[in-house]
Amino acid sequence: VQLQASGGGLVQPGGSLRLSCAATGSFFMITSMGWYRQAPGKQRELVADITRSGDTDYAHSVKGRFTISRDNAKNTVYLQMNSLKPEDTAVYYCNAFVASDPWNGMDYWGKGTLVTVSS
């Protein structure tokens, strides 16, 4: 299983970016998918996650500005980021819990995509 993230880049404060992450490979099902981020000198933190049925959870710092969504048919998760702030600057990592069969699963991580918010 591989997770391929895209959509990062440089954006001015107040701007928007949309991240995408597609899972490829052989598996039974993807349950939860999410986005984490790690800023320089800080620990990796949860940004948002979404269950297969669409239930979402957000970090307090991004509520109202970021929206997570997924397309189960495409095994893809998205993160729409609006009203970006300099403190959103970080490497963003895609995460998915992938079931290899109805009884077993494990976490997978993408390589990360850099988001820089700066004027």
Side-chain angles (χ1 to χ4, degrees):
V1 177
Q2 288 190 327
L3 300 180
Q4 183 64 51
S6 62
L10 173 64
V11 63
Q12 291 187 341
S16 297
L17 280 176
R18 188 188 193 215
L19 305 182
S20 300
C21 177
T24 59
S26 179
F27 46 83
F28 174 69
M29 178 186 295
I30 299 176
T31 54
S32 66
M33 302 186 82
W35 292 93
Y36 288 70
R37 67 187 180 186
Q38 187 166 17
K42 294 188 177 182
Q43 289 188 333
R44 189 175 297 189
E45 64 174 358
L46 173 70
V47 177
D49 61 18
I50 183 168
T51 66
R52 187 171 181 82
S53 59
D55 294 328
T56 59
D57 190 28
Y58 294 91
H60 178 75
S61 60
V62 307
K63 277 183 179 179
R65 300 188 298 122
F66 291 9
T67 301
I68 190 170
S69 60
R70 65 187 282 175
D71 184 332
N72 290 332
K74 296 181 179 180
N75 297 312
T76 300
V77 63
Y78 306 95
L79 186 68
Q80 178 66 43
M81 305 184 293
N82 298 329
S83 302
L84 282 160
K85 304 175 181 180
E87 51 263 44
D88 294 318
T89 295
V91 177
Y92 284 70
Y93 296 92
C94 173
N95 168 269
F97 190 84
V98 182
S100 55
D101 56 51
W103 307 277
N104 298 284
M106 62 181 289
D107 269 323
Y108 287 87
W109 293 89
K111 288 187 178 179
T113 184
L114 177 62
V115 172
T116 303
V117 184
S118 175
S119 55

